C-alpha cells in the first residue's frame, strides 16, 4: 500500500494526525527533500528505508514503490504542503493505477494556508473579494496562455502566487496592469518555519523590499485588498440575518 501524504508547510506539528501515524508505520519513506522539513521523518520507525525524491526521477520513484509492493511493504510518499497543489502526484498515481497498485492520498496544510495564518488575515473578505486564485508565473515550465497573470489580475481577487518570488519585477509589472499601484502585497518566506519572514508593501515598492531582504525562493506572494482594513461584516454572525443554524434575534 502506498500513502501520498501532505507534510504541511514546514512546522512538523502541522502534519495531520493521520499523516503522522502513517509515517510512524511506514517501511519505506520517499520524501520531497527540497521542501519537506526532515524533522517530519523523526517519527519513522528504526530500519525504515528513506529516499529523497529531489535526487530521483519519476521512474526511480515508481520503481522504489513497486519493489516495496512486491515485498508487501508500506510506502509513505511525503509531499510538501498539500499534494494537490504543484505536487506532481498525478503522474505518479496514473502509473500506479495502470499497474493496479493501491494508494490513498492524505491531505495536508498547504503553504497558502500557513501564509494566511502568518499574516493573520482572511483571504475572502465580504465586500472585498470572495475568490482566491492560486497560480504561478511561467518560468522554466509554461503556464497556459489563458492563465497569464494579466488575465487573472483583471479580477482584482485575492491572488496567491507560488514558485515565482525570483521573478518579482516581472510579476509586479503584470499585476499592475489591473491592480492599482497602492494595492497591498506581501511575501511570506518559509511560512511556519523558525526562519519565517514576512515582507509587506504595495505594488509600488515590494520588488525592492524583497530584493533587499534577499528572498529568492520558498516564498509565496499574496496580493489583494484582503490585506487592507476595509470590509463588511459577515452575514454568518450578523444578529439580523437568519440561517440554518440560527434565527435572527436569537
Ligand atoms: N504542495 C505545496 C506547494 C509545492 S510548490 C503546498 O501545498 O504548499 C513549492 C512552492 O510552494 C514554493 O516555491 C513556494 O512558493 C511555496 N511554498 C512551499 N512551502 C512554503 C512555505 N513554508 N512558505 C512559503 N512558501 C512555501
Amino acid at each position: 500500500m502506498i500513502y501520498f501524504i501532505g507534510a504541511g508547510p514546514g512546522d512538523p506539528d502541522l502534519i495531520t494526525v493521520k499523516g503522522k501515524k502513517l509515517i510512524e508505520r511506514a517501511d519505506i519513506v520517499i520524501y520531497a527533500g527540497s521542501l519537506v522539513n526532515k524533522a517530519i521523518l523523526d517519527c519513522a520507525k528504526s530500519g525504515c528505508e528513506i529516499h529523497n525524491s529531489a535526487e530521483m526521477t519519476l521512474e526511480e520513484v515508481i520503481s522504489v514503490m513497486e519493489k516495496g509492493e512486491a515485498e508487501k511493504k508500506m510506502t509513505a510518499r511525503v509531499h510538501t504542503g498539500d499534494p494537490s497543489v504543484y505536487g506532481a502526484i498525478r503522474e505518479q498515481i496514473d502509473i500506479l493505477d495502470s499497474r493496479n497498485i493501491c494508494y490513498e492520498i492524505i491531505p495536508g496544510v498547504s503553504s497558502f494556508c500557513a501564509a494566511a495564518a502568518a499574516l493573520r488575515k482572511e483571504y475572502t473578505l465580504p465586500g472585498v473579494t470572495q475568490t482566491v486564485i492560486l497560480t504561478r508565473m511561467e518560468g522554466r515550465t509554461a503556464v497556459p496562455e489563458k492563465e497569464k497573470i494579466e488575465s487573472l489580475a483583471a479580477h482584482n481577487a485575492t491572488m496567491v502566487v507560488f514558485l515565482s518570488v525570483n521573478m518579482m519585477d516581472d510579476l509586479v509589472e503584470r499585476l499592475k496592469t489591473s491592480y492599482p499601484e497602492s494595492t497591498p502585497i506581501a511575501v511570506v518566506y518559509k511560512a511556519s518555519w523558525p526562519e519565517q519572514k514576512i515582507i509587506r508593501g504595495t505594488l509600488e515598492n515590494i520588488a525592492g523590499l524583497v530584493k533587499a531582504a534577499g528572498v529568492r525562493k520558498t516564498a509565496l506572494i499574496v496580493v489583494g485588498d484582503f490585506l487592507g482594513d476595509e470590509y463588511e461584516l459577515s452575514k454568518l454572525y450578523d444578529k439580523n440575518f437568519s440561517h440554518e443554524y440560527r434565527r435572527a434575534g436569537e
Side-chain angles (χ1 to χ4, degrees), residues 9 35 80-82 85-86 110-111 162-163 188 190-191 193 218-220:
L35 279 170
T80 178
D82 182 82
V85 188
Y86 306 113
S110 177
S111 58
F162 288 70
L163 296 158
V188 184
K190 290 203 117 178
W193 291 72
T218 328
L220 289 173

Side-chain angles (χ1 to χ4, degrees), residues 233-243 245-250:
L233 295 181
S234 77
K235 295 283 184 236
L236 187 60
Y237 300 109
D238 180 345
K239 62 180 182 312
N240 300 315
F241 187 79
S242 296
H243 57 66
Y245 298 100
R246 189 174 46 74
R247 289 224 192 135
E250 281 180 6

